[in-house]
Amino acid sequence: MLMQQIYWRPNCLILQKPSLHGIGSSNHRCFQVGLSRPLLTKQKKGRKFKNECMKIKAVAVSEEAIERKSVEVKATVTVQPATGGILSKLGLQSGLDEITDLMGKSILLELVSSELDPKTKLEKKRIKGYVHLTHRSSEEVKYEAEFEVPANFGEIGAILVENEHRKEMFMREIVLDGFLTGPVKFSCESWVHSKFDNPAKRVFFSNKSYLPSETPEGLQKFRAEELISLRGNGEGEHQSFDRIYDYDVYNDLGDPDTNPDHKRPVLGGSEHPYPRRCRTGRPRCDTDPLSEKRSDNVYVPRDECFSDVKQLTFSANTLKSAFHALLPGLKTAVVDKNLGFLLFSSIDDLFNEGYTLPPQKEKGFLRTVLPRLVRLVNDATGDILRFETPATMDKDRFFWFRDEEFGRQTIAGLNPCCIQLVTEWPLKSKLDPNVYGPAESAITTEIVEQQIRGFVTVEEAIKQKKLFILDYYDFFMPLVEEVRKLEGTTLYGSRTLFFLTREGALRPLAIELARPPMNGKPQWRQVYTPSWHSTDVWLWRLAKAHVLAHDGGYHQLVSHWLRTHCCTEPYIIATNRQLSAMHPIYRLLLPHFRYTMEINALAREALINADGIIESSFTPKQLSILVSSIAYDKHWQFDLQALPNDLIHRGLAVRDPNAPHGLKLAIEDYPYANDGLVLWDAIKSWVTDYVNHYYNGDSRTVVSDKELQAWWEEIRTVGHGDKKDEPWWPNLKTNEDLVEIVTTIVWITSGHHAAVNFGQYTYAGYFPNRPAIARNNMPTEDPSDQELELFYDKPEVTLLKCFPSQIQAMTVMTVLDILSSHSPDEEYLGQTVEPAWEEEPMIKAAFEKFQGRLMELEGIVDERNANKNLKNRNGAGILPYELLKPTSEPGVTGKGVPYSISI
């Protein structure tokens, strides 16, 4: 008997802590000694103080009696009705689940104290109870229950959940209400498996964030165990309801069991370095033990698949519909797969008249899921594939023909991150001249000065930072011979030289195309320049088509797929394996990782796979995915993914403390860089505020954070393990290190991805502007009499024959339209505060400051686009540069920066 009670009379007053409840008979109220404030008495007016009010009797009570003091807490669980899910909602399972709801045993909750028992130093006994169904609508389902929480239970820091249904459910939130300090919230946003699939209970932590060293004692075990469960054991095939994050190489792109020609090399390892993807555990192929068997549904951890919850994840499901219904139907409709467009008017018909599709099994299905692309025109009996006119073409029908637009798009178009400053002359290759021919470029001083005479010499132009290059010479040259063995494509090594005019525009000067010595023939190379003679003009246009195909392939395979989708997946895996869900950095990064793994799995299924859309429609064809591996091996560096570092590396900027953003740009009117740096600074300021709040400016906190250090170690040595020994990896020792690393990841998943993704249909929807493939050699390379005759007689036909075939063009246009489209439920950067951020006042204030800076960027973009002095974003027929404007309406808008790589 350790505790005491104090009896008191009505004319005596004891002030106790408000969280304590009295116990005892109706005639006496009692309080725990030591938790009440000192006894106070009050003498009534006109009466003397009486001693009887001081008659206090102390009695001994049991600990059990003290524990009976409790707070009545209401638990509300909000579940999102799923439109699909893994298990069917029909049949026996659905009926059994309804019975479970009627019985009031839908979900079992176990409340976990943040404190250990002060005597035993063990976990306090959990408070258990079932929640029962109270509300159901098309938007949400609610379950409720009441719990008696003992006064000495301590703060509730976690909840264990057991789903009693036979199918999974998507749990949005749990709220415990009844505490004087306010409700305790648990933002779940997660699939909870059925106990019949996996008996292990799910744990959800409250929205309060903790560094590992600050974790309350009662939660430390759960924090560690949850991370262990997420890592898995590296064995077996993962089930669709699993939440296991593990690594594997890219060995599932080929399908040798179905077709020996579909065997593809493994990406990842010393031979073909590559980032790692999520392990699925599928068995190996029968005919190739290095390859993994393919399946219709590619495993990703269950919480990465929100597509059937958030309004069907418009873009992802639209893409799936295109892959599985529209494109196969299109292939059957086009009889000749190599047939090109005979006239430019035939290309225009894709936007005006459309293309008749074969009848579908489910009538009207395509019109329902692809309303922008597929429609019923007039009295047609079938569906019509008809494309919207891209915004660029809508403003200027001949935009793609103009050289000034060719130059402008290198800094304000779809791939503005490859242009480089020329710092040495003459231009030289680093390839072995004994294998690939002379190292020195065929673009001579005389050729350049002939183009810029009256301005400066080449030497002066380099000194004044006036010469820029789009250089795919060394990158593509080693692939030329192999690509040319493939049917329906060709390849060159290419260099394209630009001159920066007084108006700040890039003027194309020369294009060099080269073929290495091959098939017993010596190296072939030729330089093409803008001209006033018809023959040279048409050769120049053909050379541009080849360069644009090179740039288009590099954009899709490197700037887009590799740098954003592919390289981000290891960050996501490591974050879930090494950072607890209650870690503040986990909660900072979480919105930037949503949907990405699901989209990547979809890409492996139908975009970058053997004989997929990329391989069938882009210049490198079957070698396409190797292009991204070569780029990763030779060019990818984590530190250069940061926008300022990237600009400096390419010679497009130098450090200058007196310049805006601390950088002086080589091209002042560089829309991607100008808008990007404003966004970069806004992101970095927000990340800095966030990091400094949790790490208190003490670098020792960063170094001693075991989860954080394990996270960064695993990213470098496992997720990007083929690069683990590179010297350029940043250290993670200080707040500044952490800020730079996190800002880089956030920039890649938001700003960089937006810049290279959401303009795809705008700039490549009219494919002559950016053909995905160049199918024929230049007419001046080893020409036949027939080819030369056609070129001189009808050069337009020669150009059309070089462009993609009809099936290639329509396939790419369909995919680009979908990839460029914003979902109606898109989550734009800074638009919505995360629940964990909102609960911390300092973080909420920092986020509101971030929101303000993003709103300011909206105005900056509008102001710049209205400035007539900025020739690269304003002028007759010029499309304003809005790709880094933070928000957007749904659809293909050419603007908007989502939090994550969501499509």
Side-chain angles (χ1 to χ4, degrees):
M1 300 296 182
L2 301 175
M3 310 302 293
Q4 290 181 322
Q5 292 177 322
I6 299 176
Y7 291 97
W8 63 284
R9 298 197 175 190
N11 57 347
C12 300
L13 175 66
I14 297 178
L15 299 180
Q16 79 277 10
K17 288 188 176 182
S19 62
L20 298 176
H21 292 254
I23 60 174
S25 69
S26 59
N27 296 324
H28 300 92
R29 297 187 66 187
C30 50
F31 301 91
Q32 183 176 331
V33 171
L35 292 182
S36 62
R37 293 183 182 180
L39 181 68
L40 299 179
T41 60
K42 182 177 180 181
Q43 186 175 2
K44 293 185 178 180
K45 186 176 181 181
R47 295 181 61 183
K48 292 184 179 179
F49 181 79
K50 292 185 178 182
N51 290 332
E52 56 259 34
C53 72
M54 295 297 294
K55 293 178 181 179
I56 300 174
K57 181 180 179 181
V59 295
V61 296
S62 67
E63 290 182 348
E64 287 78 7
I66 296 300
E67 286 185 1
R68 286 199 296 271
K69 298 177 183 180
S70 61
V71 177
E72 192 172 276
V73 174
K74 179 181 178 181
T76 302
V77 179
T78 304
V79 172
Q80 172 75 48
T83 59
I86 295 172
L87 302 175
S88 171
K89 302 178 91 174
L90 303 176
L92 178 62
Q93 288 179 341
S94 181
L96 292 173
D97 286 344
E98 289 181 4
I99 295 173
T100 301
D101 284 341
L102 289 174
M103 293 177 63
K105 292 190 175 183
S106 306
I107 305 168
L108 175 66
L109 300 185
E110 299 184 10
L111 311 186
V112 178
S113 173
S114 296
E115 303 171 358
L116 295 178
D117 186 290
K119 291 185 176 179
T120 65
K121 296 300 180 182
L122 299 175
E123 177 191 349
K124 290 185 177 181
K125 185 178 180 181
R126 302 170 199 162
I127 302 170
K128 302 181 181 181
Y130 289 97
V131 292
H132 57 275
L133 180 68
T134 59
H135 168 78
R136 185 191 298 274
S137 71
S138 59
E139 288 79 29
E140 63 183 15
V141 180
K142 286 189 179 292
Y143 297 86
E144 295 179 358
E146 292 186 352
F147 292 87
E148 294 289 328
V149 179
N152 63 351
F153 189 72
E155 183 179 348
I156 297 174
I159 296 180
L160 299 184
V161 177
E162 183 175 80
N163 176 13
E164 305 294 316
H165 290 116
R166 283 162 176 77
K167 60 180 182 293
E168 63 178 358
M169 60 174 59
F170 186 77
M171 193 166 289
R172 285 168 45 187
E173 184 183 48
I174 302 174
V175 178
L176 303 180
D177 201 2
F179 300 105
L180 289 177
T181 53
V184 179
K185 297 182 179 180
F186 298 76
S187 180
C188 307
E189 295 295 323
S190 176
W191 289 101
V192 178
H193 59 264
S194 164
K195 73 174 185 179
F196 299 99
D197 289 327
N198 182 352
K201 297 180 177 69
R202 280 294 308 278
V203 61
F204 292 105
F205 299 106
S206 72
N207 291 351
K208 187 173 182 179
S209 299
Y210 296 98
L211 295 176
S213 61
E214 298 169 348
T215 310
E217 289 183 322
L219 302 179
Q220 289 175 3
K221 179 187 76 168
F222 295 97
R223 182 169 188 153
E225 288 178 350
E226 175 70 352
L227 285 175
I228 291 171
S229 70
L230 288 168
R231 294 169 193 155
N233 59 12
E235 299 177 359
E237 182 173 358
H238 296 322
Q239 302 302 307
S240 51
F241 54 79
D242 282 338
R243 296 171 57 249
I244 295 175
Y245 295 78
D246 202 357
Y247 301 95
D248 207 343
V249 293
Y250 279 74
N251 61 351
D252 64 340
L253 303 181
D255 192 6
D257 286 351
T258 302
N259 186 338
D261 292 336
H262 289 178
K263 181 179 177 180
R264 295 293 178 268
V266 174
L267 302 185
S270 58
E271 187 174 358
H272 300 295
Y274 216 58
R276 298 303 189 260
R277 51 111 173 160
C278 182
R279 179 184 180 274
T280 69
R282 291 179 294 188
R284 298 301 177 92
C285 291
D286 299 328
T287 57
D288 178 20
L290 296 178
S291 297
E292 183 176 280
K293 284 183 178 290
R294 291 174 59 80
S295 56
D296 292 337
N297 295 314
V298 183
Y299 167 80
V300 294
R302 190 62 184 113
D303 282 348
E304 307 301 327
C305 305
F306 297 128
S307 59
D308 51 352
V309 175
K310 299 180 70 60
Q311 294 186 22
L312 300 177
T313 316
F314 175 80
S315 298
N317 282 284
T318 302
L319 196 58
K320 289 178 182 177
S321 299
F323 288 159
H324 297 299
L326 175 58
L327 296 180
L330 190 59
K331 287 182 179 180
T332 62
V334 180
V335 178
D336 185 352
K337 310 306 178 190
N338 296 315
L339 181 63
F341 292 89
L342 303 179
L343 301 167
F344 274 95
S345 58
S346 300
I347 301 174
D348 295 342
D349 286 343
L350 295 177
F351 308 101
N352 301 323
E353 304 298 328
Y355 192 91
T356 303
L357 296 170
Q360 297 288 314
K361 292 181 180 179
E362 189 176 342
K363 192 173 182 180
F365 168 72
L366 287 176
R367 273 177 271 144
T368 301
V369 298
L370 297 164
R372 178 179 158 88
L373 290 168
V374 180
R375 63 207 71 193
L376 183 67
V377 179
N378 297 327
D379 296 325
T381 56
D383 289 327
I384 300 291
L385 176 65
R386 191 172 73 181
F387 297 94
E388 297 284 342
T389 303
T392 41
M393 188 181 178
D394 192 46
K395 289 186 73 71
D396 181 356
R397 191 170 181 275
F398 302 104
F399 79 105
W400 67 280
F401 228 47
R402 296 187 284 109
D403 284 348
E404 54 269 34
E405 180 67 7
F406 175 46
R408 189 188 76 87
Q409 286 186 28
T410 60
I411 54 175
L414 187 55
N415 190 30
C417 43
C418 287
I419 191 78
Q420 301 175 62
L421 178 70
V422 175
T423 56
E424 296 180 355
W425 195 263
L427 302 172
K428 287 185 178 180
S429 169
K430 295 179 181 178
L431 299 174
D432 185 351
N434 295 318
V435 177
Y436 298 102
E440 190 169 310
S441 172
I443 303 176
T444 63
T445 300
E446 292 72 25
I447 291 174
V448 175
E449 291 186 348
Q450 186 178 10
Q451 291 292 318
I452 61 172
R453 61 178 180 268
F455 289 94
V456 289
T457 64
V458 168
E459 185 179 352
E460 290 168 338
I462 292 175
K463 199 173 187 180
Q464 296 176 24
K465 297 185 177 181
K466 294 286 188 181
L467 287 183
F468 296 85
I469 189 171
L470 202 58
D471 193 351
Y472 295 122
Y473 192 93
D474 284 10
F475 187 79
F476 281 125
M477 197 71 156
L479 296 174
V480 169
E481 186 170 3
E482 289 301 310
V483 169
R484 288 194 174 198
K485 293 177 182 177
L486 306 174
E487 182 184 358
T489 187
T490 190
L491 186 62
Y492 293 101
S494 68
R495 296 183 178 103
T496 307
L497 197 65
F498 299 88
F499 177 73
L500 184 64
T501 67
R502 292 190 180 99
E503 293 78 20
L506 285 178
R507 173 185 160 194
L509 297 179
I511 293 173
E512 178 181 9
L513 300 179
R515 176 204 70 199
M518 53 184 285
N519 300 328
K521 298 178 182 178
Q523 184 199 58
W524 176 91
R525 60 181 181 174
Q526 191 166 343
V527 176
Y528 303 90
T529 60
S531 175
W532 300 107
H533 185 267
S534 61
T535 299
D536 292 338
V537 164
W538 276 103
L539 287 173
W540 170 250
R541 288 168 181 162
L542 282 160
K544 279 201 301 181
H546 282 276
V547 167
L548 288 166
H550 301 166
D551 191 59
Y554 193 91
H555 158 262
Q556 201 63 261
L557 294 163
V558 182
S559 302
H560 185 197
W561 163 252
L562 175 69
R563 290 183 66 178
T564 65
H565 290 261
C566 187
C567 286
T568 295
E569 187 150 340
Y571 310 150
I572 302 172
I573 298 172
T575 298
N576 283 277
R577 286 169 56 87
Q578 300 299 341
L579 296 182
S580 166
M582 65 172 71
H583 197 292
I585 300 303
Y586 174 93
R587 285 174 162 160
L588 174 60
L589 290 173
L590 181 62
H592 299 285
F593 292 157
R594 288 181 181 133
Y595 308 102
T596 302
M597 290 181 74
E598 181 182 21
I599 294 300
N600 288 1
L602 190 58
R604 302 204 314 273
E605 180 185 348
L607 276 172
I608 63 171
N609 60 302
D611 201 35
I613 291 169
I614 296 293
E615 282 198 3
S616 63
S617 304
F618 282 76
T619 283
K621 285 219 155 182
Q622 286 93 313
L623 299 179
S624 289
I625 202 63
L626 281 178
V627 167
S628 61
S629 174
I630 293 167
Y632 180 71
D633 182 31
K634 295 183 178 299
H635 302 311
W636 189 86
Q637 294 185 200
F638 179 86
D639 59 329
L640 296 184
Q641 305 313 297
L643 178 61
N645 294 346
D646 171 52
L647 294 171
I648 292 169
H649 177 71
R650 291 188 285 121
L652 271 296
V654 292
R655 300 281 183 192
D656 184 350
N658 298 318
H661 318 292
L663 293 179
K664 180 177 176 57
L665 295 177
I667 303 174
E668 292 184 9
D669 182 15
Y670 186 177
Y672 165 72
N674 286 321
D675 295 356
L677 286 170
V678 177
L679 181 56
W680 170 272
D681 280 359
I683 293 171
K684 188 170 185 178
S685 176
W686 151 241
V687 172
T688 300
D689 290 342
Y690 189 99
V691 166
N692 287 343
H693 173 77
Y694 284 104
Y695 289 91
N696 300 318
D698 184 355
S699 62
R700 290 174 299 177
T701 313
V702 170
V703 173
S704 63
D705 186 333
K706 294 181 180 179
E707 286 184 7
L708 191 70
Q709 294 297 327
W711 168 75
W712 186 234
E713 175 76 8
E714 187 167 284
I715 286 174
R716 291 184 294 109
T717 63
V718 184
H720 286 276
D722 297 335
K723 296 273 192 174
K724 67 180 185 299
D725 297 323
E726 298 289 351
W728 39 254
W729 283 106
N731 292 315
L732 181 51
K733 295 181 178 179
T734 67
N735 285 23
E736 290 73 20
D737 296 337
L738 180 57
V739 166
E740 188 72 12
I741 289 167
V742 171
T743 302
T744 299
I745 293 174
V746 171
W747 160 255
I748 287 295
T749 59
S750 57
H752 179 81
H753 179 259
V756 299
N757 182 77
F758 292 105
Q760 290 190 88
Y761 191 74
T762 300
Y763 286 102
Y766 185 71
F767 66 84
N769 182 59
R770 289 184 69 81
I773 190 170
R775 295 192 294 160
N776 296 326
N777 294 340
M778 291 291 292
T780 51
E781 182 199 344
D782 303 330
S784 67
D785 292 340
Q786 186 179 2
E787 290 171 335
L788 275 179
E789 184 179 350
L790 176 64
F791 171 66
Y792 282 109
D793 187 41
K794 290 189 175 182
E796 177 183 327
V797 174
T798 299
L799 181 59
L800 286 167
K801 287 169 68 69
C802 187
F803 282 158
S805 67
Q806 292 186 24
I807 184 65
Q808 288 171 332
M810 287 188 284
T811 297
V812 172
M813 290 167 68
T814 297
V815 174
L816 295 188
D817 182 282
I818 298 169
L819 293 180
S820 303
S821 185
H822 288 294
S823 168
D825 57 344
E826 191 78 88
E827 298 179 29
Y828 296 101
L829 188 65
Q831 193 174 48
T832 307
V833 62
E834 291 289 299
W837 305 346
E838 193 170 28
E839 290 202 7
E840 179 59 52
M842 293 295 290
I843 297 300
K844 183 180 179 182
F847 180 76
E848 288 171 348
K849 185 174 75 171
F850 179 47
Q851 285 181 310
R853 298 191 68 167
L854 294 176
M855 290 178 64
E856 185 181 0
L857 176 55
E858 296 263 349
I860 290 172
V861 170
D862 289 339
E863 183 181 0
R864 286 172 174 172
N865 287 330
N867 187 343
K868 294 183 179 179
N869 294 321
L870 300 179
K871 306 297 184 183
N872 292 315
R873 56 199 310 162
N874 186 292
I878 295 293
L879 189 71
Y881 187 79
E882 296 184 311
L883 287 170
L884 291 173
K885 196 172 185 179
T887 59
S888 171
E889 306 79 37
V892 179
T893 62
K895 60 183 176 181
V897 181
Y899 269 110
S900 64
I901 304 164
S902 56
I903 188 61

